[in-house]
Amino acid sequence: MGVPVGAPQGFPYETGSETFTNEYATAVAPGARDRLKNPLPLFLLSVPGADPEYDRHVNRVVEALRGAIEDRGKLVPYAVLRAGGDPGASWARAAADELLRGIPGNMTPDRLPSFSLLRDVVAEAVRLGDGLRADAAARAIRNSAYALRAEAAGLPALLWRLGGGDRPVSSSGAIGWLIDTVWAPSFQNLPRWFWGRWKTHRLIRPLSLSPRNRRRRSLGTELDAERGEDLFGAVYHWVWTSGLFGATPLGEEAAQACENLLVRALLEDLEVPSVGGLLPKRRRRTVRPVLLLALPHDTAHRVAAERFLRAFHTAHSVSVADAVRAPGPLVVAVGQPSTELLGQLDPDDRNFATAAGCLARGHDRPVRVKFSAEALLRPGHPVSKVKTLASFRTNWRLATALVTALASVVAAGIVVWFPSAQLSPCVGGDDTVDKAARTQPVEVHPAEWYDAAVKEIDTQNARAVDFAKAGRTVRTVVVFVSNRPTSSRDTVFDGVIPELRGIAMWQKKLNDDANSDSSEVPLRVDVRETGVAFARAEQAAQDLVKEIRYSKGIPAYERVIGVLGYAQSRDETKAALTVLDKAKVLVVDTTATADEMLGGANYWPMTPLNSREAAVEANFVATSDIVARPDGGCVPAKHAVVIETYGDLYSRSLADQFVKDFTGSKQLLNFTQDSTSAAPPAGTPAYNTATDLAARVCAEVKAQPDSVIYWSARARDFTAFINAFNTAGTCLQHDLTVLGGNELTNVSQTGAFSNKDWLRLYYSAHRLPDDDKRASAVTRTFVNDYENFVKATTTGDDPWAQDGHSAVAYDAFHTFSLVANMTYNQQPAAPPSQMEINFRNSGATFNGATGYVQYAPGVNQPPADKTLVLLRQIGQKPVAVAACGAYDQDQSSVNQGEPCSATSR
């Protein structure tokens, strides 16, 4: 059924809908095959159920989504499911039939072996009824299934008669003896027995407990196959206990049980194979299968559709105790689900902008997005066609045979010419942090350096006021920082000083440019402290909102038009964002990276989210040679000890994402020195002293030598752990490999670990070192300007010449000033709320100190493919071991290989 002529067409336009459909195309056919491993939630696109044009609206959305994966034939394996003739028909069966119709050439999946077997076995068990003994029924079902498989395989007639057909009538004498002792065991009994055992171990009772096999074990649990039965006996017993014998039509409970089983088998076939390598079947999985459901309006057909959705949710849910959530198809249901189904699915209500993020990164719950009635009546926008990575001319089975033969030849050559394997060098070099390190940590002057940066801001504020007195439009931006540091401890664990330096540098450049460029809007900077760890952030935000609301009596240049911040992801800063968002105050963030900070329409992050950072880092440790071996060289990490502080939003967010993305074994440990911090969930080992944590980490590393320590807690706690680990001295005979987040950059570059000859330290950052050949000219110029700024305003050695906080703040202020220019250059009387509207409509693009910055219009996400760098700390000098994203305009994660291919966002 097409859309009637004259009716609105295209995907209905809502705020963020174009971003959603772009992510839809990318999720189905990502530029990097590795993104197929991300499990996606069930999406519910809700159309008002009371609308008399309900069916037309549903069909319009479904057809718009199908248009992206159809071009005179299927571009990806997909199924569009609509109400058929029989209201009780299984939608899982319809999905399988539709998926196999018109499959793109030589692409996987090209068949559904698990589903077709379970479907035929259940049908045969129902046909036999309950008149047979269980063992006889199991054999009969197995023989019937074996015959179907043999026939489908196209066996020659002779082999079919020997192994697949009925047993010949027994004869006496020599012929009878041969049939009974040779023919039957060799060509009938033994092949069928082996085939039955193989299918049993493959589907319900695997021999190993890999993540995929744990999902198969859960299928056996659903069949109640714990009594030693094979697959066929288990299905027969399940059919009997589920009430499927002789029930026409089936009761709802039996129909749901049958749908659950078929959907579980279907997902087994649609799960993404292991990605990468040379195996042809893996390489043929370049796209994600898609299931589009048009939810019927009439109750009878809707029950069957919702039965499928309920089964999919159950099979795909992370709450299933024995299952490990697996990637698979993208399922999008369009229409109005029943209240009962919504209660069971408990979807997360999102707008299209934030739902786009769920398409990119995955989500733990089903996601529901509602269309407004007005949007369904307006013309929509097209959905971009998916672009598949490659097409293939040969069948994967033929290619597998050729690759196997080639691999055998290569393996034989390796045995002959390379009798001993060579150890791989370590990524970033073999040195630990003490190599070329300072003899003593750098001496810091916290109060002096902080005051110097604020003094320079005050100087630039005076210049901005002079512009205002001369008749120029000038406005004010508030910068929320934590607290003025008073001790070296505060300084090395907080990036406030380099951040304020970056802000002062951009403000000076803005004033310099405004001398000759009348289109520039000079900006005053109001630095406001919010307490240690942003303790008073929410109250400070409330105070600012009141000031903005009652600002008519103050000079125009003192009127606040937005906020720069925050440097940390905490519950306190998240609460402050909620306050500012309600008041429609634009916030351009600096280095707060937790995904949980998103949500408000007025909040625009500058740095990559934790989900992207963790995906790259998990891929990095699993594929890069970073863990030192006692006999020399390095290997990838096979085990991760993840250290989090559960009560800290940033730490919890980063740890959760890494645990989800890392493919090896892992152990999560909670560490906090704050007695008021929230306790972790039951089952997570918790430590309150660095000494106890060091002992546990030592035990983990001894048990799993190929371990990496993934540190998501704060830098102060990291320093305490390193000192305790060094003092204990029980694990220092081998190097300890640590990977941390951007939180560690401040302390790492001060030389605090200069005497730790056992520590191999990697951490994330947001710009490339200036001496890296990949760094842009803008980055190098910024570093030179930063060093000159520090020399002109402070005394003593600066430890943060390669720290990214100053560059991030510089680019964040650059972004903010661009929005101020487009808002107040032509409309001096515009309210502050107009800032976010202009930003959302126009976006922002420039080449910055941190790399290429491109905010796409319409969605408040970080800049597209924002630069993310992994550094190796060697003494005073960090070395970039991975650089992902658009650190220059012509660069992209899509073509940067491992570990950047973990995500292209």
Side-chain angles (χ1 to χ4, degrees), residues 512-537:
D512 291 345
D513 292 347
N515 281 324
S516 58
D517 189 346
S518 58
S519 67
E520 294 284 357
V521 177
L523 294 171
R524 292 176 67 252
V525 174
D526 185 353
V527 179
R528 301 191 182 186
E529 299 170 9
T530 61
V532 176
F534 294 90
R536 294 186 288 102

Side-chain angles (χ1 to χ4, degrees), residues 566-589:
Y566 294 85
Q568 295 179 9
S569 303
R570 295 183 179 273
D571 290 328
E572 293 82 359
T573 53
K574 182 179 179 182
L577 287 178
T578 301
V579 172
L580 296 171
D581 185 64
K582 288 181 180 178
K584 298 183 178 179
V585 177
L586 175 68
V587 180
V588 178
D589 203 356

Side-chain angles (χ1 to χ4, degrees), residues 434-622:
D434 67 316
K435 180 68 174 178
R438 307 172 190 267
T439 55
Q440 292 293 330
V442 64
E443 182 180 354
V444 296
H445 306 277
E448 176 191 336
W449 291 353
Y450 179 91
D451 292 343
V454 172
K455 182 179 178 181
E456 179 61 26
I457 289 173
D458 290 340
T459 299
Q460 299 306 320
N461 282 344
R463 293 180 66 189
V465 172
D466 288 342
F467 279 118
K469 291 177 179 178
R472 294 282 291 274
T473 300
V474 178
R475 292 293 182 270
T476 295
V477 56
V478 167
V479 175
F480 282 128
V481 299
S482 53
N483 219 34
R484 178 180 183 271
T486 57
S487 70
S488 59
R489 188 192 74 172
D490 295 335
T491 306
V492 299
F493 299 138
D494 193 326
V496 63
I497 291 175
E499 182 171 308
L500 287 177
R501 287 172 175 172
I503 290 171
M505 289 173 62
W506 177 259
Q507 189 183 19
K508 181 179 184 303
K509 183 180 187 308
L510 183 61
N511 282 332
D512 291 345
D513 292 347
N515 281 324
S516 58
D517 189 346
S518 58
S519 67
E520 294 284 357
V521 177
L523 294 171
R524 292 176 67 252
V525 174
D526 185 353
V527 179
R528 301 191 182 186
E529 299 170 9
T530 61
V532 176
F534 294 90
R536 294 186 288 102
E538 185 175 12
Q539 182 60 54
Q542 292 171 348
D543 294 342
L544 175 60
V545 169
K546 292 178 183 177
E547 292 177 26
I548 295 175
R549 191 172 296 156
Y550 303 107
S551 62
K552 292 184 178 180
I554 65 174
Y557 64 79
E558 292 185 6
R559 293 175 187 169
V560 177
I561 59 174
V563 168
L564 278 178
Y566 294 85
Q568 295 179 9
S569 303
R570 295 183 179 273
D571 290 328
E572 293 82 359
T573 53
K574 182 179 179 182
L577 287 178
T578 301
V579 172
L580 296 171
D581 185 64
K582 288 181 180 178
K584 298 183 178 179
V585 177
L586 175 68
V587 180
V588 178
D589 203 356
T590 54
T591 54
T593 57
D595 298 60
E596 291 81 355
M597 297 287 282
L598 294 174
N602 293 270
Y603 173 69
W604 297 78
M606 169 56 67
T607 48
L609 299 175
N610 281 352
S611 54
R612 182 182 178 218
E613 178 179 331
V616 170
E617 290 170 341
N619 199 14
F620 173 71
V621 299

